[in-house]
Amino acid sequence: MPSITPGGNLAPSPWGKHGGGSIMLWGCFSTARTATLVRVEGKMNGEKYREILDESLLQSGQDLRLGRRFIFQQDNEPKHTAKTTQEWLRDRSLNVLEWPSQSPDLNPIEHLWRDLNSCAATLLIQPDRP
């Protein structure tokens, strides 16, 4: 799902990885909480991205108690900037934050994925407890 930044912006991140395998997730968060993660089955392409947005974006806004009062944040990944994705967002009258090119460090959900990966790694290397 997309992340929601301190200003109430939604920012998607397409994946999280851990050594030895990977899982692709879509997630979002606000300053108050996280919304439900969506596991992406198969290859993420523009069609699948729009399907996830269609099934999860507005519901995430509701779950995070934002309704439709949010600014959607996504980076310039090709499936995000595709004409069909831009039309999908425009057709739903969603506010979209303009995103500078080549700036992944500005995407707040990347920091959340890093923290999630770190926690998962810690859990995987802890010895079994009696």
Side-chain angles (χ1 to χ4, degrees):
M1 283 187 192
S3 66
I4 299 182
T5 63
N9 303 320
L10 282 165
S13 181
W15 55 278
K17 288 185 181 179
H18 178 71
S22 67
I23 180 173
M24 188 175 294
L25 300 170
W26 185 89
C28 72
F29 63 92
S30 73
T31 56
R33 63 182 51 91
T34 58
T36 304
L37 289 174
V38 176
R39 183 174 182 165
V40 178
E41 300 291 340
K43 182 178 180 192
M44 174 72 94
N45 57 26
E47 182 180 351
K48 186 170 296 258
Y49 181 67
R50 288 184 301 281
E51 182 180 303
I52 290 169
L53 292 179
D54 198 45
E55 294 172 1
S56 303
L57 179 58
L58 295 178
Q59 183 60 51
S60 293
Q62 295 295 322
D63 294 346
L64 294 166
R65 298 182 184 162
L66 298 172
R68 293 180 59 96
R69 298 180 327 263
F70 60 82
I71 298 171
F72 185 62
Q73 180 183 340
Q74 59 182 358
D75 59 24
N76 289 318
E77 212 279 333
K79 64 184 143 286
H80 303 162
T81 59
K83 183 178 178 182
T84 51
T85 300
Q86 295 304 307
E87 288 173 357
W88 187 95
L89 294 164
R90 197 170 30 258
D91 288 350
R92 285 148 186 84
S93 301
L94 295 173
N95 294 315
V96 180
L97 181 68
E98 288 191 37
W99 195 254
S101 62
Q102 304 299 318
S103 56
D105 56 324
L106 295 177
N107 193 338
I109 203 163
E110 296 303 331
H111 303 286
L112 181 62
W113 290 135
R114 182 199 62 219
D115 293 346
L116 180 63
N117 286 333
S118 178
C119 289
T122 301
L123 293 172
L124 290 172
I125 60 173
Q126 288 183 359
D128 290 337
R129 296 184 180 154

